[in-house]
């Protein structure tokens, strides 16, 4: 087995935090392993003027992965570390996700200037997000809300919220906030001397496909690296991910697809819930499927069939 490895990552604070979690896990499993970290700036990081809420501008989820995947194929790195929700359903030829870390909290959080979560937002309040999934679910919960596109890293969005006189809240992933060291236990979040309110949306919004999962992508032919990563791979998380990504593949979806999915396990059973919105708005299609944990793709196919038969499928 090899004695060193090169990890590739985006250069944002959150991506580096996720890389640190991966590095720590690898060193616990392989204490003598030499690990180098190479940060990259992706097109999605550079082009903050692109709208992720508009299909004609977003350019797909490869916005945040292409540079890492190119370095992986060229041999400049051995592992590309991704937030799984950023990965397209299909890997480029020659690459695969060979391991995932155990899933963190998969839900969203509303960070706001007023308490009581979504119910505490005033009529017509403006909420910032760059996610089409979050935008559609927020409008379904509260048709009166005005959605504004806000991009940037977590710290940038929090700072903009504090400074904005017109935006009442933003939606961020709970896993990302926790990985950055924010404490959410008392319903508030402190940032740069300001206290904001933090309310879980897990009970009223379904997360993105792969949300809360750190994915480790490698070259298919690199068996040595796969063997190293096998020691930190979390199989139960991977089974849920297989179901979610199969549904994404069947729907031919990328980051412009307004779908929320929650996949869980209970013993030998896997359960999947999904809600899919039409780009034109209106009531969503919904699906609920379950089956043997050993065949997650069959569960996804069952959910897809339900979504596909409903009249408001996009």
């Amino acid at each position: 087995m090899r004695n060193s490895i090169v990890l590739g990552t985006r250069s944002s604070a959150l991506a580096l935090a996720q890389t640190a979690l991966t590095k720590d896990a690898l060193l616990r499993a392989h204490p003598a392993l030499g690990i180098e970290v190479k940060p990259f700036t992706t097109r999605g990081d550079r082009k903050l003027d692109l709208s992720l809420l508009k299909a004609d501008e977003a350019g797909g989820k490869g916005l945040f992965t292409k540079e890492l995947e190119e370095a992986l194929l060229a041999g400049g790195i051995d592992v590309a570390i991704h937030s799984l929700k950023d990965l397209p359903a299909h890997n480029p030829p020659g690459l695969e996700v060979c391991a995932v870390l155990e899933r963190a909290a998969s839900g969203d959080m509303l960070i706001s200037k007023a308490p009581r979560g979504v119910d505490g937002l005033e009529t017509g309040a403006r909420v910032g997000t760059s996610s089409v999934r979050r935008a559609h679910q927020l409008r379904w919960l509260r048709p009166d809300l005005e959605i504004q596109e806000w991009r940037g890293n977590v710290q940038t969005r929090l700072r903009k919220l504090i400074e904005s006189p017109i935006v009442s809240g933003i939606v961020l992933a709970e896993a990302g906030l926790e990985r950055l060291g924010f404490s959410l236990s008392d319903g508030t979040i402190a940032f740069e001397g300001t206290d904001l309110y933090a309310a879980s949306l897990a009970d009223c919004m379904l997360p993105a496909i792969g949300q809360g999962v750190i994915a480790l992508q490698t070259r298919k032919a690199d068996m040595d690296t796969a063997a190293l990563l096998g020691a930190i791979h979390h199989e139960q998380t991977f089974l849920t991910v297989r179901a979610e990504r199969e549904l994404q593949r069947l729907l031919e979806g990328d980051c412009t697809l307004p779908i929320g999915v929650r996949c869980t396990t209970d013993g030998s059973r896997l359960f999947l819930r999904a809600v899919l919105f039409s780009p034109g708005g209106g009531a969503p299609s919904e699906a609920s499927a379950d089956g043997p944990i050993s065949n997650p793709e069959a569960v996804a196919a069952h959910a897809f069939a339900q979504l596909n038969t409903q009249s408001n499928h996009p």
Side-chain angles (χ1 to χ4, degrees):
M1 189 176 291
R2 63 192 303 167
N3 57 15
S4 65
I5 195 170
V6 181
L7 308 179
T9 174
R10 289 169 63 190
S11 56
S12 70
L14 178 54
L16 292 173
Q18 293 177 160
T19 301
L21 289 173
T22 305
K23 181 177 178 180
D24 290 346
L26 280 168
L27 289 176
R28 286 194 298 271
H30 311 288
L33 183 66
I35 301 178
E36 179 185 354
V37 174
K38 284 189 177 182
F40 291 80
T41 300
T42 68
R43 179 169 177 259
D45 297 316
R46 293 191 302 270
K47 298 289 289 181
L48 294 179
D49 57 322
L50 289 179
S51 170
L52 301 187
L53 297 179
K54 299 177 182 177
D56 58 343
E57 292 188 28
K61 288 194 177 185
L63 271 176
F64 299 103
T65 61
K66 184 179 179 182
E67 286 80 0
L68 290 170
E69 291 175 333
E70 288 177 344
L72 192 54
L73 287 167
I77 59 176
D78 301 304
V79 182
I81 300 175
H82 303 283
S83 292
L84 187 65
K85 65 184 180 66
D86 290 334
L87 278 175
H90 297 279
N91 284 283
L95 300 183
E96 65 179 352
V97 174
C98 77
V100 296
L101 300 190
E102 183 174 4
R103 190 173 218 150
S106 64
D108 291 314
M109 302 288 295
L110 175 69
I111 311 301
S112 61
K113 298 173 181 177
R116 299 193 305 113
V118 172
D119 292 338
L121 295 174
E122 62 186 18
T123 300
R126 297 177 181 179
V127 178
T129 180
S130 62
S131 161
V132 291
R133 170 191 61 85
R134 289 169 177 159
H136 276 272
Q137 291 193 86
L138 284 168
R139 291 190 186 105
W140 181 244
L141 287 170
R142 288 277 306 271
D144 62 291
L145 295 178
E146 180 180 335
I147 307 301
Q148 292 203 340
E149 179 161 17
W150 275 27
R151 292 199 52 203
N153 61 37
V154 170
Q155 293 88 341
T156 296
R157 297 186 202 193
L158 289 171
R159 190 173 297 114
K160 285 173 63 177
L161 175 61
I162 292 170
E163 295 173 351
S164 173
I166 59 173
V167 173
S168 301
I170 58 175
V171 182
L172 298 170
E174 182 177 356
L177 289 166
E178 290 182 343
R179 286 169 180 159
L180 287 169
F182 289 103
S183 174
L184 306 171
S185 58
D186 66 351
T188 64
I189 180 172
F191 181 70
E192 295 185 349
T194 299
D195 289 333
L196 298 166
Y197 292 94
S200 173
L201 299 174
D203 291 337
C204 56
M205 284 175 54
L206 294 182
I209 289 170
Q211 187 157 316
V213 179
I214 297 172
L216 308 179
Q217 188 182 42
T218 61
R219 295 178 292 276
K220 283 186 177 180
D222 189 353
M223 296 296 101
D224 286 344
T225 297
L228 285 172
L229 298 180
I232 64 173
H233 173 62
H234 194 262
E235 182 63 17
Q236 184 170 316
T237 294
F238 192 59
L239 290 166
T240 62
V241 161
R242 280 173 53 188
E244 294 173 23
R245 285 173 61 77
E246 174 65 6
L247 180 58
Q248 181 184 23
R249 185 191 70 80
L250 291 169
L251 291 167
E252 300 179 350
D254 60 16
C255 66
T256 66
L257 185 69
I259 186 169
V261 178
R262 178 171 290 118
C263 195
T264 58
T265 61
D266 185 0
S268 63
R269 305 291 290 179
L270 186 147
F271 301 85
L272 186 150
R273 287 183 57 214
V275 57
L276 176 64
F277 290 84
S278 167
S285 303
E286 297 184 66
S288 180
D290 67 276
I293 195 172
S294 59
N295 194 354
E297 286 78 14
V299 177
H302 186 196
F304 173 72
Q306 293 178 46
L307 295 172
N308 204 38
T309 58
Q310 297 178 46
S311 60
N312 58 342
H313 184 280

